[in-house]
Amino acid sequence: MIDLDIDMRQYDCPFIDTTDDVDIAFSAVQWQLDTDDEKLETRLIAQADSMGALDDGLRALREHPNMTDCYILSKRDNVAEIGTTIEQTNAMATIQDNGGYITGPFRIENGRERWHVGFDDDQDEDRALAELERHNDYSVEGRDQFGPTTLFDLLENSDSATALLEGCRSLTETERETFEVATARGYYETPRDTTLDDLADHFDVSKTAVSMNLRRGERKILKAALTALDQLDDTETF
């Protein structure tokens, strides 16, 4: 199986048009493509910077000409779970017609959409990408090719992968940025290429603040890794 990570801009997608006009983002939770009716039914999480922006975004989404149905399942502050039905877009039809399939949830923000698409062979992939170029703007950000053994391993250990992912998501923006800069500058190398003092100067905070941000992030990631290892051991024992 070939798995592509695609950064996509469709020109007939209501979600992309909405995130172009309003500061709102959508993350897919569940989706189903009805090829007979050429419609996509989706459940998504919509998140905006404020309640007002959320209302504006949902209003714009409902009024889009390619939107068939849009309804709120739940809503709290600046986040809502919504259900939608949209007309099949050119990109969806192209992927479907060339033997492709969605392999993971998609996210839409700032007028771009992140797709995870699978193909069974190189010819289907090449044909689909060539056709996508005619009516869409996209770039392939990542490409992986898995054999049956690797796919089985991924499926069997999906709980471990989820635990690690949730650990990464639990990092605050400050913790993540501190981690990234510290790693890029060689803080975790032996010997270290940078110090806490250097990092404090970079972020214009105290040495203590940098140390605390690193420690909090390390605890979260370590806890997630240990949880993943426990789940991995349980799977292997079973």
Side-chain angles (χ1 to χ4, degrees), residues 161-172 217 220-221 223-225:
T162 300
L164 284 174
L165 183 61
E166 290 304 316
C168 293
R169 285 176 172 163
S170 71
L171 295 175
T172 66
K220 291 178 180 179
I221 296 299
K223 182 179 179 181

Side-chain angles (χ1 to χ4, degrees), residues 39-237:
K39 295 184 186 299
L40 176 70
E41 297 182 10
T42 318
R43 285 196 176 193
L44 308 100
I45 300 298
Q47 184 171 10
D49 287 342
S50 65
M51 289 187 288
L54 178 65
D55 290 339
D56 290 343
L58 296 181
R59 187 180 307 111
L61 193 64
R62 290 192 192 97
E63 294 172 355
H64 194 282
N66 279 7
M67 179 60 64
T68 302
D69 192 15
C70 178
Y71 52 93
I72 296 174
L73 295 166
S74 64
K75 181 180 176 185
R76 182 175 181 180
D77 299 329
N78 61 328
V79 180
E81 182 180 3
I82 63 174
T84 66
T85 302
I86 69 171
E87 299 292 332
Q88 180 175 261
T89 64
N90 170 268
M92 284 189 283
T94 299
I95 296 296
Q96 181 78 19
D97 292 345
N98 289 283
Y101 40 87
I102 303 298
T103 60
F106 49 89
R107 178 174 173 81
I108 312 105
E109 60 183 333
N110 299 322
R112 308 290 299 186
E113 186 172 13
R114 203 69 173 212
W115 276 27
H116 299 276
V117 180
F119 294 94
D120 291 327
D121 61 61
D122 294 336
Q123 290 183 339
D124 287 344
E125 174 196 4
D126 293 341
R127 189 168 52 251
L129 293 181
E131 291 184 18
L132 278 176
E133 275 189 317
R134 298 174 188 171
H135 302 286
N136 305 274
D137 173 30
Y138 75 89
S139 62
V140 177
E141 301 296 314
R143 184 184 189 276
D144 294 302
Q145 191 157 5
F146 305 107
T149 302
T150 303
L151 283 173
F152 183 80
D153 192 30
L154 287 171
L155 292 171
E156 283 292 291
N157 296 293
S158 59
D159 289 342
S160 295
T162 300
L164 284 174
L165 183 61
E166 290 304 316
C168 293
R169 285 176 172 163
S170 71
L171 295 175
T172 66
E173 184 176 347
T174 299
E175 290 164 355
R176 177 175 176 173
E177 186 178 0
T178 305
F179 249 146
E180 290 174 345
V181 172
T183 302
R185 295 195 170 197
Y187 180 75
Y188 293 103
E189 299 295 328
T190 304
R192 286 176 173 165
D193 293 331
T194 193
T195 66
L196 286 175
D197 288 322
D198 295 332
L199 294 173
D201 290 340
H202 174 82
F203 290 106
D204 195 23
V205 297
S206 68
K207 178 179 175 180
T208 301
V210 171
S211 178
M212 288 179 63
N213 287 330
L214 286 175
R215 287 187 177 184
R216 281 195 295 262
E218 288 164 357
R219 281 198 296 268
K220 291 178 180 179
I221 296 299
L222 181 59
K223 182 179 179 181
L226 290 174
T227 300
L229 285 172
D230 285 342
Q231 293 172 342
L232 186 64
D233 290 341
D234 290 343
T235 303
E236 290 178 348
T237 300

